[in-house]
Coordinates of all heavy atoms in Angstrom, one line a residue:
M65 N -6.0 11.3 -1.7 CA -4.7 11.7 -1.3 C -3.7 11.1 -2.2 O -3.9 10.1 -2.9 CB -4.4 11.3 0.2 CG -5.4 11.8 1.2 SD -5.0 11.2 2.8 CE -3.6 12.2 3.2
K66 N -2.5 11.7 -2.2 CA -1.4 11.2 -3.0 C -0.2 10.8 -2.1 O 0.0 11.4 -1.0 CB -0.9 12.2 -4.0 CG -1.9 12.4 -5.1 CD -1.4 13.3 -6.2 CE -2.5 13.5 -7.2 NZ -1.9 14.1 -8.4
G67 N 0.5 9.7 -2.5 CA 1.6 9.3 -1.7 C 2.5 8.4 -2.6 O 2.3 8.3 -3.8
K68 N 3.5 7.8 -1.9 CA 4.4 6.9 -2.6 C 4.4 5.6 -1.9 O 4.6 5.5 -0.7 CB 5.8 7.5 -2.5 CG 6.0 8.7 -3.4 CD 7.4 9.2 -3.4 CE 7.5 10.4 -4.3 NZ 8.9 10.9 -4.4
I69 N 4.3 4.5 -2.7 CA 4.2 3.2 -2.2 C 5.6 2.6 -2.1 O 6.4 2.8 -3.1 CB 3.3 2.3 -3.0 CG1 3.1 0.9 -2.4 CG2 3.7 2.2 -4.4 CD1 2.0 0.1 -3.1
H70 N 5.9 1.9 -1.1 CA 7.2 1.2 -1.0 C 7.1 0.0 0.0 O 6.2 0.0 0.8 CB 8.4 2.1 -0.7 CG 8.3 2.7 0.7 ND1 7.6 3.8 1.0 CD2 8.9 2.4 1.9 CE1 7.7 4.2 2.2 NE2 8.5 3.3 2.8
K71 N 8.1 -0.9 -0.1 CA 8.0 -2.1 0.8 C 9.1 -1.9 1.9 O 10.2 -1.4 1.7 CB 8.4 -3.3 0.0 CG 8.1 -4.6 0.8 CD 8.2 -5.8 -0.1 CE 7.7 -7.0 0.6 NZ 7.8 -8.2 -0.2
T72 N 8.6 -2.2 3.1 CA 9.5 -2.1 4.3 C 9.6 -3.6 4.9 O 9.0 -4.5 4.4 CB 8.9 -1.2 5.4 OG1 7.7 -1.8 5.9 CG2 8.6 0.2 4.8
E73 N 10.3 -3.7 6.0 CA 10.4 -5.0 6.7 C 9.0 -5.4 7.2 O 8.8 -6.6 7.3 CB 11.4 -4.9 7.8 CG 12.8 -4.8 7.4 CD 13.8 -4.7 8.6 OE1 13.4 -4.9 9.7 OE2 15.0 -4.4 8.3
Q74 N 8.1 -4.5 7.5 CA 6.8 -4.8 8.0 C 5.8 -5.1 6.8 O 4.7 -5.4 7.1 CB 6.3 -3.7 8.9 CG 7.0 -3.6 10.2 CD 8.3 -2.8 10.1 OE1 8.5 -2.0 9.2 NE2 9.3 -3.2 10.9
G75 N 6.2 -4.8 5.6 CA 5.3 -5.0 4.5 C 5.2 -3.7 3.7 O 6.0 -2.8 3.8
W76 N 4.2 -3.7 2.8 CA 3.9 -2.5 1.9 C 3.3 -1.4 2.7 O 2.4 -1.6 3.5 CB 3.0 -2.9 0.8 CG 3.7 -3.8 -0.2 CD1 3.5 -5.2 -0.2 CD2 4.5 -3.5 -1.2 NE1 4.3 -5.7 -1.3 CE2 4.9 -4.7 -1.9 CE3 5.1 -2.3 -1.7 CZ2 5.8 -4.7 -3.0 CZ3 5.9 -2.3 -2.8 CH2 6.3 -3.5 -3.4
V77 N 3.8 -0.2 2.5 CA 3.3 1.0 3.1 C 3.2 2.1 2.1 O 3.8 2.1 1.0 CB 4.1 1.5 4.3 CG1 4.2 0.5 5.4 CG2 5.5 1.9 3.8
V78 N 2.4 3.1 2.4 CA 2.2 4.3 1.5 C 2.7 5.5 2.4 O 2.2 5.8 3.5 CB 0.8 4.5 1.0 CG1 0.7 5.9 0.3 CG2 0.4 3.4 0.1
E79 N 3.7 6.2 1.9 CA 4.2 7.4 2.6 C 3.5 8.6 2.0 O 3.3 8.7 0.8 CB 5.7 7.6 2.3 CG 6.3 8.8 3.0 CD 7.8 8.9 2.8 OE1 8.4 7.9 2.3 OE2 8.3 10.0 3.0
Y80 N 3.0 9.5 2.9 CA 2.3 10.7 2.5 C 2.7 11.8 3.4 O 3.4 11.6 4.4 CB 0.8 10.5 2.4 CG 0.2 10.3 3.8 CD1 -0.5 11.3 4.5 CD2 0.3 9.0 4.5 CE1 -1.0 11.1 5.7 CE2 -0.2 8.8 5.7 CZ -0.9 9.9 6.3 OH -1.4 9.7 7.6
A81 N 2.3 13.0 3.1 CA 2.7 14.2 3.9 C 4.2 14.2 4.1 O 4.9 13.9 3.2 CB 1.8 14.3 5.1
K82 N 4.6 14.6 5.3 CA 6.0 14.6 5.6 C 6.4 13.4 6.4 O 6.3 13.4 7.7 CB 6.3 15.9 6.4 CG 6.2 17.1 5.5 CD 6.8 18.3 6.2 CE 6.6 19.5 5.3 NZ 7.9 20.0 4.8
H83 N 6.7 12.4 5.7 CA 7.2 11.1 6.3 C 6.1 10.4 7.2 O 6.5 9.6 8.0 CB 8.4 11.3 7.1 CG 9.5 12.0 6.4 ND1 10.2 11.4 5.3 CD2 10.0 13.2 6.4 CE1 11.0 12.2 4.8 NE2 11.0 13.4 5.4
A84 N 4.9 10.6 6.9 CA 3.8 9.9 7.6 C 3.5 8.6 6.7 O 3.6 8.7 5.5 CB 2.5 10.7 7.7
E85 N 3.3 7.5 7.3 CA 3.1 6.3 6.6 C 1.8 5.5 7.1 O 1.5 5.6 8.3 CB 4.3 5.3 6.7 CG 5.5 5.8 6.1 CD 6.6 4.8 6.2 OE1 6.6 3.9 7.1 OE2 7.6 4.8 5.4
L86 N 1.2 4.8 6.2 CA 0.1 3.9 6.5 C 0.4 2.6 5.8 O 0.9 2.5 4.7 CB -1.2 4.5 5.9 CG -1.8 5.7 6.6 CD1 -3.0 6.2 5.8 CD2 -2.3 5.3 8.0
P87 N 0.0 1.5 6.5 CA 0.1 0.2 5.8 C -0.8 0.1 4.6 O -1.9 0.7 4.7 CB -0.3 -0.8 6.9 CG -1.2 -0.1 7.8 CD -0.7 1.4 7.8
L88 N -0.4 -0.6 3.6 CA -1.3 -0.8 2.5 C -2.4 -1.8 2.8 O -2.3 -2.7 3.6 CB -0.4 -1.4 1.3 CG -1.1 -1.5 0.0 CD1 -1.5 -0.1 -0.5 CD2 -0.2 -2.2 -1.0
H89 N -3.6 -1.5 2.3 CA -4.8 -2.3 2.5 C -4.6 -3.7 2.2 O -3.9 -4.0 1.1 CB -6.0 -1.7 1.7 CG -7.3 -2.2 2.1 ND1 -7.8 -3.4 1.6 CD2 -8.2 -1.7 2.9 CE1 -9.0 -3.6 2.1 NE2 -9.3 -2.6 2.9
P90 N -5.0 -4.7 3.0 CA -4.8 -6.1 2.7 C -5.3 -6.5 1.3 O -4.6 -7.4 0.7 CB -5.6 -6.8 3.8 CG -5.6 -5.8 4.9 CD -5.7 -4.5 4.3
D91 N -6.3 -6.0 0.8 CA -6.8 -6.3 -0.6 C -5.8 -5.9 -1.6 O -5.5 -6.6 -2.6 CB -8.1 -5.7 -0.9 CG -9.3 -6.3 -0.1 OD1 -9.1 -7.4 0.5 OD2 -10.3 -5.7 0.0
D92 N -5.1 -4.8 -1.4 CA -4.1 -4.3 -2.4 C -2.8 -5.1 -2.3 O -2.2 -5.4 -3.3 CB -3.8 -2.8 -2.1 CG -5.0 -1.9 -2.5 OD1 -5.7 -2.2 -3.5 OD2 -5.2 -0.9 -1.8
V93 N -2.5 -5.6 -1.1 CA -1.4 -6.5 -0.9 C -1.6 -7.8 -1.6 O -0.7 -8.3 -2.3 CB -1.1 -6.7 0.6 CG1 0.0 -7.8 0.8 CG2 -0.7 -5.4 1.3
K94 N -2.8 -8.3 -1.5 CA -3.2 -9.6 -2.2 C -3.0 -9.4 -3.7 O -2.5 -10.3 -4.4 CB -4.6 -10.0 -1.9 CG -4.8 -10.5 -0.5 CD -6.2 -10.9 -0.3 CE -6.5 -11.2 1.2 NZ -7.9 -11.4 1.5
Q95 N -3.4 -8.2 -4.3 CA -3.3 -7.9 -5.7 C -1.9 -7.9 -6.1 O -1.5 -8.4 -7.2 CB -4.0 -6.7 -6.1 CG -4.0 -6.4 -7.6 CD -4.7 -7.5 -8.4 OE1 -5.8 -7.9 -8.1 NE2 -4.0 -8.0 -9.4
I96 N -1.0 -7.3 -5.3 CA 0.4 -7.2 -5.6 C 1.0 -8.6 -5.7 O 1.8 -9.0 -6.6 CB 1.2 -6.3 -4.6 CG1 0.8 -4.8 -4.8 CG2 2.7 -6.5 -4.7 CD1 1.4 -3.9 -3.8
N97 N 0.6 -9.5 -4.7 CA 1.1 -10.8 -4.7 C 0.6 -11.6 -5.9 O 1.4 -12.4 -6.5 CB 0.6 -11.5 -3.4 CG 1.3 -11.0 -2.2 OD1 2.4 -10.4 -2.3 ND2 0.7 -11.1 -1.0
R98 N -0.6 -11.4 -6.4 CA -1.1 -12.0 -7.6 C -0.3 -11.5 -8.8 O 0.1 -12.3 -9.7 CB -2.6 -11.8 -7.8 CG -3.5 -12.6 -6.9 CD -4.9 -12.5 -7.3 NE -5.5 -11.2 -7.1 CZ -6.2 -10.8 -6.0 NH1 -6.4 -11.6 -5.0 NH2 -6.7 -9.6 -6.0
D99 N -0.1 -10.2 -8.9 CA 0.7 -9.6 -10.0 C 2.1 -10.2 -10.0 O 2.7 -10.4 -11.1 CB 0.7 -8.1 -9.9 CG -0.6 -7.5 -10.1 OD1 -1.6 -8.2 -10.6 OD2 -0.8 -6.3 -9.8
A100 N 2.7 -10.5 -8.8 CA 4.0 -11.0 -8.8 C 4.1 -12.4 -9.4 O 5.2 -12.8 -9.8 CB 4.5 -11.0 -7.3
Q101 N 3.0 -13.1 -9.5 CA 3.0 -14.4 -10.1 C 3.0 -14.3 -11.6 O 3.4 -15.2 -12.3 CB 1.9 -15.2 -9.6 CG 1.9 -15.5 -8.1 CD 0.7 -16.2 -7.6 OE1 -0.3 -16.4 -8.3 NE2 0.7 -16.6 -6.4
V102 N 2.6 -13.1 -12.1 CA 2.5 -12.9 -13.6 C 3.7 -12.1 -14.1 O 4.2 -12.4 -15.2 CB 1.2 -12.2 -13.9 CG1 1.1 -11.9 -15.4 CG2 0.0 -13.0 -13.4
F103 N 4.1 -11.1 -13.4 CA 5.1 -10.2 -13.9 C 6.4 -10.4 -13.2 O 6.5 -10.8 -12.0 CB 4.7 -8.7 -13.6 CG 3.4 -8.3 -14.3 CD1 2.2 -8.2 -13.6 CD2 3.4 -8.1 -15.7 CE1 1.1 -7.8 -14.3 CE2 2.2 -7.8 -16.3 CZ 1.0 -7.6 -15.6
D104 N 7.5 -10.3 -13.9 CA 8.8 -10.4 -13.4 C 9.1 -9.2 -12.5 O 8.8 -8.0 -12.9 CB 9.9 -10.4 -14.5 CG 9.8 -11.7 -15.3 OD1 9.4 -12.7 -14.7 OD2 10.2 -11.7 -16.5
N105 N 9.8 -9.4 -11.4 CA 10.3 -8.3 -10.5 C 9.2 -7.2 -10.2 O 9.5 -6.1 -10.5 CB 11.6 -7.8 -11.0 CG 12.4 -7.2 -9.9 OD1 11.9 -7.0 -8.7 ND2 13.6 -6.8 -10.2
I106 N 8.1 -7.6 -9.6 CA 7.0 -6.6 -9.4 C 7.5 -5.5 -8.5 O 7.1 -4.3 -8.6 CB 5.8 -7.3 -8.8 CG1 4.6 -6.4 -8.9 CG2 6.0 -7.8 -7.4 CD1 4.1 -6.1 -10.2
E107 N 8.4 -5.8 -7.5 CA 8.9 -4.7 -6.6 C 9.6 -3.6 -7.4 O 9.5 -2.4 -7.1 CB 9.7 -5.3 -5.5 CG 8.9 -6.1 -4.5 CD 9.8 -6.7 -3.4 OE1 10.8 -6.0 -3.0 OE2 9.4 -7.7 -2.9
A108 N 10.4 -4.0 -8.4 CA 11.1 -3.0 -9.2 C 10.2 -2.2 -10.1 O 10.4 -1.0 -10.2 CB 12.2 -3.7 -10.1
R109 N 9.1 -2.9 -10.6 CA 8.1 -2.2 -11.4 C 7.4 -1.1 -10.5 O 7.2 0.0 -11.0 CB 7.1 -3.1 -12.0 CG 7.7 -4.0 -13.0 CD 6.7 -5.1 -13.5 NE 7.2 -6.0 -14.5 CZ 6.9 -5.9 -15.8 NH1 6.0 -5.0 -16.2 NH2 7.4 -6.7 -16.6
I110 N 7.1 -1.5 -9.3 CA 6.4 -0.5 -8.4 C 7.3 0.6 -8.0 O 7.0 1.8 -8.0 CB 5.8 -1.3 -7.2 CG1 4.7 -2.2 -7.6 CG2 5.4 -0.3 -6.1 CD1 4.2 -3.1 -6.5
A111 N 8.6 0.3 -7.8 CA 9.6 1.3 -7.4 C 9.8 2.3 -8.5 O 10.2 3.4 -8.2 CB 10.9 0.6 -6.9
A112 N 9.7 1.9 -9.7 CA 9.9 2.8 -10.9 C 8.8 3.8 -10.9 O 9.1 4.9 -11.4 CB 10.0 2.0 -12.2
Y113 N 7.6 3.5 -10.5 CA 6.5 4.5 -10.5 C 5.8 4.4 -9.2 O 4.7 3.8 -9.1 CB 5.5 4.1 -11.7 CG 6.2 4.2 -13.0 CD1 6.7 3.0 -13.6 CD2 6.4 5.4 -13.7 CE1 7.3 3.1 -14.9 CE2 7.0 5.4 -14.9 CZ 7.5 4.3 -15.5 OH 8.1 4.3 -16.7
P114 N 6.4 4.9 -8.1 CA 5.8 4.7 -6.8 C 4.6 5.7 -6.4 O 3.9 5.4 -5.4 CB 7.0 5.1 -5.9 CG 7.8 6.1 -6.6 CD 7.6 5.6 -8.1
E115 N 4.4 6.7 -7.2 CA 3.3 7.6 -6.9 C 1.9 6.9 -7.0 O 1.6 6.3 -8.0 CB 3.3 8.9 -7.7 CG 4.5 9.8 -7.4 CD 5.8 9.4 -8.1 OE1 5.7 8.6 -9.1 OE2 6.9 9.8 -7.6
V116 N 1.1 7.1 -6.0 CA -0.2 6.5 -6.0 C -1.3 7.4 -5.4 O -0.9 8.3 -4.7 CB -0.3 5.1 -5.2 CG1 0.6 4.1 -5.8 CG2 0.1 5.4 -3.7
E117 N -2.5 7.2 -5.8 CA -3.6 7.9 -5.1 C -4.3 6.9 -4.2 O -4.5 5.7 -4.6 CB -4.6 8.4 -6.2 CG -4.0 9.6 -6.9 CD -5.1 10.4 -7.7 OE1 -6.3 10.4 -7.3 OE2 -4.7 10.9 -8.8
F118 N -4.7 7.3 -3.0 CA -5.3 6.4 -2.1 C -6.2 7.2 -1.2 O -6.3 8.4 -1.1 CB -4.2 5.7 -1.2 CG -3.5 6.7 -0.3 CD1 -3.9 6.7 1.1 CD2 -2.5 7.5 -0.7 CE1 -3.3 7.6 2.0 CE2 -1.9 8.4 0.2 CZ -2.2 8.4 1.5
E119 N -7.0 6.4 -0.4 CA -7.8 7.0 0.7 C -7.6 6.2 1.9 O -7.1 5.0 1.9 CB -9.3 6.9 0.3 CG -9.8 5.6 -0.1 CD -11.2 5.6 -0.6 OE1 -11.9 6.7 -0.5 OE2 -11.7 4.6 -1.0
I120 N -7.8 6.8 3.1 CA -7.6 6.1 4.3 C -8.9 5.4 4.7 O -9.9 6.1 4.8 CB -7.1 7.1 5.4 CG1 -5.8 7.8 5.0 CG2 -7.0 6.4 6.8 CD1 -5.4 8.9 5.9
V121 N -8.8 4.1 5.0 CA -10.0 3.3 5.3 C -9.7 2.3 6.4 O -8.6 2.1 6.8 CB -10.5 2.5 4.0 CG1 -10.8 3.5 2.9 CG2 -9.4 1.5 3.6
Q122 N -10.8 1.8 6.9 CA -10.8 0.6 7.8 C -10.9 -0.6 7.0 O -11.2 -0.6 5.8 CB -11.9 0.7 8.8 CG -11.8 1.9 9.8 CD -12.9 1.8 10.8 OE1 -13.9 1.1 10.7 NE2 -12.7 2.6 11.9
Y123 N -10.6 -1.8 7.6 CA -10.7 -3.1 6.9 C -11.5 -4.0 7.8 O -11.1 -4.2 9.0 CB -9.3 -3.6 6.6 CG -9.3 -5.0 6.0 CD1 -9.8 -5.2 4.7 CD2 -8.8 -6.1 6.7 CE1 -9.8 -6.4 4.1 CE2 -8.8 -7.3 6.1 CZ -9.3 -7.5 4.8 OH -9.3 -8.7 4.2
N124 N -12.6 -4.5 7.4 CA -13.5 -5.3 8.2 C -13.8 -4.6 9.5 O -13.8 -5.2 10.6 CB -12.8 -6.7 8.5 CG -12.8 -7.6 7.2 OD1 -13.5 -7.4 6.3 ND2 -11.9 -8.5 7.2
G125 N -14.0 -3.3 9.4 CA -14.4 -2.6 10.6 C -13.2 -2.3 11.6 O -13.4 -1.9 12.7
K126 N -12.0 -2.6 11.2 CA -10.9 -2.5 12.1 C -9.8 -1.7 11.4 O -9.7 -1.6 10.2 CB -10.3 -3.9 12.4 CG -11.2 -4.8 13.0 CD -10.6 -6.2 13.2 CE -11.6 -7.2 13.8 NZ -11.1 -8.5 13.9
T127 N -9.0 -1.0 12.3 CA -7.8 -0.4 11.8 C -6.6 -1.0 12.6 O -6.8 -1.6 13.6 CB -7.8 1.2 12.1 OG1 -8.0 1.3 13.5 CG2 -8.9 1.9 11.4
P128 N -5.4 -0.9 12.0 CA -4.3 -1.5 12.7 C -3.7 -0.7 13.8 O -2.6 -0.4 13.9 CB -3.3 -1.7 11.5 CG -3.6 -0.6 10.6 CD -5.1 -0.4 10.7
I129 N -4.7 -0.3 14.7 CA -4.3 0.6 15.8 C -3.2 0.0 16.7 O -2.3 0.7 17.2 CB -5.5 1.0 16.7 CG1 -6.6 1.7 15.9 CG2 -5.1 1.7 17.9 CD1 -6.1 3.1 15.4
S130 N -3.3 -1.3 16.9 CA -2.3 -2.0 17.8 C -0.9 -1.8 17.2 O 0.0 -1.9 18.0 CB -2.7 -3.5 17.9 OG -2.6 -4.1 16.6
E131 N -0.8 -1.6 16.0 CA 0.6 -1.4 15.4 C 0.9 0.1 15.4 O 1.9 0.5 14.8 CB 0.6 -1.9 14.0 CG 0.3 -3.4 13.8 CD 1.3 -4.3 14.5 OE1 2.5 -4.0 14.4 OE2 0.9 -5.3 15.1
G132 N 0.1 1.0 15.9 CA 0.3 2.4 15.9 C -0.2 3.1 14.7 O 0.2 4.3 14.4
W133 N -1.0 2.5 13.8 CA -1.5 3.1 12.6 C -2.9 3.6 12.8 O -3.6 3.2 13.7 CB -1.6 2.1 11.5 CG -0.3 1.3 11.2 CD1 0.0 0.1 11.6 CD2 0.9 1.8 10.5 NE1 1.3 -0.3 11.2 CE2 1.8 0.7 10.5 CE3 1.2 3.0 9.8 CZ2 3.0 0.9 9.9 CZ3 2.4 3.1 9.2 CH2 3.3 2.0 9.2
S134 N -3.3 4.6 12.0 CA -4.7 5.2 12.1 C -5.6 4.6 11.1 O -6.8 4.9 11.1 CB -4.6 6.7 12.0 OG -4.1 7.0 10.7
G135 N -5.2 3.8 10.2 CA -6.0 3.2 9.1 C -5.1 2.5 8.1 O -3.9 2.4 8.3
Y136 N -5.8 2.1 7.0 CA -5.0 1.5 5.9 C -5.1 2.5 4.7 O -6.0 3.2 4.5 CB -5.7 0.2 5.5 CG -5.5 -0.9 6.4 CD1 -6.5 -1.2 7.3 CD2 -4.4 -1.7 6.5 CE1 -6.4 -2.3 8.2 CE2 -4.2 -2.7 7.3 CZ -5.2 -3.0 8.2 OH -5.1 -4.1 9.1
A137 N -4.1 2.4 3.8 CA -4.1 3.1 2.6 C -4.7 2.2 1.5 O -4.1 1.2 1.2 CB -2.6 3.5 2.2
K138 N -5.9 2.6 1.1 CA -6.6 1.8 0.0 C -6.3 2.5 -1.3 O -6.7 3.7 -1.5 CB -8.0 1.7 0.3 CG -8.9 1.0 -0.8 CD -8.6 -0.5 -0.8 CE -9.5 -1.2 -1.8 NZ -8.7 -2.2 -2.5
L139 N -5.7 1.8 -2.3 CA -5.4 2.4 -3.5 C -6.6 2.7 -4.3 O -7.6 1.9 -4.3 CB -4.4 1.5 -4.4 CG -3.1 1.2 -3.7 CD1 -2.3 0.3 -4.6 CD2 -2.3 2.5 -3.4
K140 N -6.7 3.8 -5.0 CA -7.8 4.1 -5.9 C -7.5 3.5 -7.2 O -6.4 3.5 -7.7 CB -7.9 5.6 -6.1 CG -8.4 6.3 -4.8 CD -8.7 7.7 -5.0 CE -9.3 8.4 -3.8 NZ -9.7 9.8 -4.0
Q141 N -8.5 2.9 -7.8 CA -8.4 2.3 -9.1 C -8.4 3.3 -10.2 O -9.1 4.3 -10.2 CB -9.5 1.3 -9.4 CG -9.6 0.2 -8.3 CD -8.3 -0.6 -8.2 OE1 -7.8 -1.0 -9.3 NE2 -7.9 -0.9 -7.0
P142 N -7.5 3.1 -11.3 CA -7.4 4.1 -12.4 C -8.7 4.1 -13.2 O -9.5 3.3 -13.2 CB -6.3 3.6 -13.2 CG -6.0 2.2 -12.8 CD -6.6 2.0 -11.4

């Protein structure tokens, strides 16, 4: 699937379809945090090229259903 990644007050999400969103997979959030230690203003870099390919997955056998989500957006590696 294709979508656009952006940061909200709740954290990183991927918007797809018509305003549907999924939280970003925890592993991808960790990678962004690691990249932020290396690159200046990682949020601006991501905002400049927000289009991503992803798949909807569970994490450790769980989905964030309690938050009203149906799964996580796991980014596909280039």
Side-chain angles (χ1 to χ4, degrees):
M65 298 180 78
K66 291 188 179 191
K68 292 185 178 183
I69 186 173
H70 65 277
K71 192 169 187 181
T72 68
E73 290 179 7
Q74 291 78 30
W76 290 99
V77 296
V78 174
E79 181 180 342
Y80 66 102
K82 292 193 181 247
H83 305 292
E85 292 183 337
L86 288 172
L88 190 61
H89 192 277
D91 291 343
D92 293 323
V93 173
K94 288 177 189 174
Q95 183 61 50
I96 289 173
N97 291 336
R98 284 191 294 265
D99 290 347
Q101 296 174 355
V102 176
F103 299 105
D104 292 334
N105 204 350
I106 193 71
E107 290 182 31
R109 289 174 182 257
I110 292 171
Y113 301 97
E115 289 83 20
V116 295
E117 288 193 33
F118 71 98
E119 58 186 351
I120 300 172
V121 299
Q122 294 184 343
Y123 178 68
N124 289 339
K126 300 177 183 175
T127 58
I129 297 295
S130 62
E131 302 292 322
W133 306 101
S134 60
Y136 290 98
K138 176 71 176 141
L139 300 180
K140 291 187 175 182
Q141 300 301 316

